[in-house]
Amino acid sequence: QVQLVQSGAEVKKSGASVTVSCKASAITFSNYYMHWVRQAPGQGLEWMGIINPSGGSTSYAQIFKGRVTMTRDTSTYTIFMELSFLKSDDTAVYYCARSATLRGGFDTWGQGTMVSVSS
Amino acid sequence: QSALTQPASVSGSPGQSITISCAGTTSDVGAYDYVSWYQQHPGQAPKLMIYDVTKRPSGVSDRFSGSKSGNTASLTISGLQAEDEADYYCYSFTTNKTRVFGGGTKLTVL
């Protein structure tokens, strides 16, 4: 059973930063791309960016450029998403997800991490 | 990149078929065959139902099928069952090398 296991819920103040982690497997790190997708309460899905776990290259959605950083730790097969300068409308569930191809969809998702931002 | 356009809601009775549309542009849905569909039950993570327009992952019922014509993709669910009641999202790769989702469709099984 393929699993992506994410870190726990976070509560942050406006202007702060948050880091969410997603632990995968050796096979996932070698053969898949990893993405971050968020979902605000009662809203739809929003793609944030992609990281290639094997090489570390990244690409971010335009609206998050300058605020998001995606990294990985190859020793623990874990990827990280840091979002800075948090605002109240960053309150959302953040998911990691993997894709087998660069352009294709997401076959496995993490359980989600709730990030709440208050002023 | 604007979200793909889906109907806010659709409904059907058990045993019936329904179709959910996903309207895009020549920069996304119309440009590539990288359209996928996700089912999301309340409080759960999304689940892949269709990828590359028409392909079904192992374990997904053959009652789910996908298609595309021009800039619009569609998800059809035949033989509706109560367990199909959920939110459904479409996805596409874009010519800007980004990714975009639809706004989501709430399916109600009457």
Side-chain angles (χ1 to χ4, degrees):
Chain A
Q1 179 84 6
V2 176
Q3 278 192 309
L4 300 174
V5 181
Q6 297 184 221
S7 50
E10 301 268 8
V11 178
K12 296 291 182 180
K13 293 284 191 182
S14 294
S17 297
V18 67
T19 298
V20 181
S21 67
C22 171
K23 183 170 177 59
S25 67
I27 291 177
T28 293
F29 254 59
S30 300
N31 298 290
Y32 292 83
Y33 299 90
M34 296 295 294
H35 305 253
W36 289 94
V37 175
R38 76 176 185 179
Q39 185 172 36
Q43 302 301 309
L45 302 171
E46 182 175 33
W47 182 78
M48 299 180 69
I50 179 176
I51 181 168
N52 182 345
S54 60
S57 60
T58 57
S59 178
Y60 305 135
Q62 184 65 38
I63 63 166
F64 294 107
K65 283 183 179 177
R67 283 211 303 144
V68 71
T69 303
M70 298 177 186
T71 57
R72 93 287 194 212
D73 180 344
T74 55
S75 67
T76 61
Y77 307 117
T78 302
I79 63 169
F80 303 90
M81 187 282 298
E82 179 184 19
L83 189 61
S84 55
F85 307 109
L86 289 169
K87 304 169 285 187
S88 58
D89 57 5
D90 290 320
T91 293
V93 176
Y94 289 76
Y95 294 101
C96 61
R98 74 173 197 180
S99 64
T101 62
L102 184 61
R103 302 176 176 184
F106 317 111
D107 67 356
T108 302
W109 296 66
Q111 83 274 21
T113 297
M114 182 70 209
V115 175
S116 300
V117 183
S118 64
S119 53
Chain B
Q1 186 72 38
S2 299
L4 306 174
T5 301
Q6 298 181 232
S9 63
V10 299
S11 62
S13 299
Q16 287 186 330
S17 294
I18 63 95
T19 296
I20 299 172
S21 61
C22 171
T25 69
T26 54
S27 296
D28 38 63
V29 174
Y32 304 104
D33 285 340
Y34 294 114
V35 174
S36 50
W37 289 90
Y38 302 86
Q39 177 192 66
Q40 187 180 35
H41 287 109
Q44 296 186 19
K47 175 186 176 183
L48 179 65
M49 305 303 285
I50 296 288
Y51 68 100
D52 295 352
V53 179
T54 61
K55 299 175 182 175
R56 203 168 40 249
S58 174
V60 172
S61 171
D62 60 4
R63 298 185 298 104
F64 291 82
S65 63
S67 63
K68 191 183 85 167
S69 177
N71 298 334
T72 300
S74 298
L75 172 71
T76 298
I77 309 173
S78 59
L80 266 182
Q81 299 179 2
E83 67 210 48
D84 299 333
E85 185 163 294
D87 293 328
Y88 291 84
Y89 295 91
C90 60
Y91 153 98
S92 177
F93 184 76
T94 82
T95 55
N96 292 328
K97 298 185 179 179
T98 185
R99 286 85 173 151
V100 64
F101 286 97
T105 298
K106 181 177 181 59
L107 169 61
T108 301
V109 180
L110 302 170

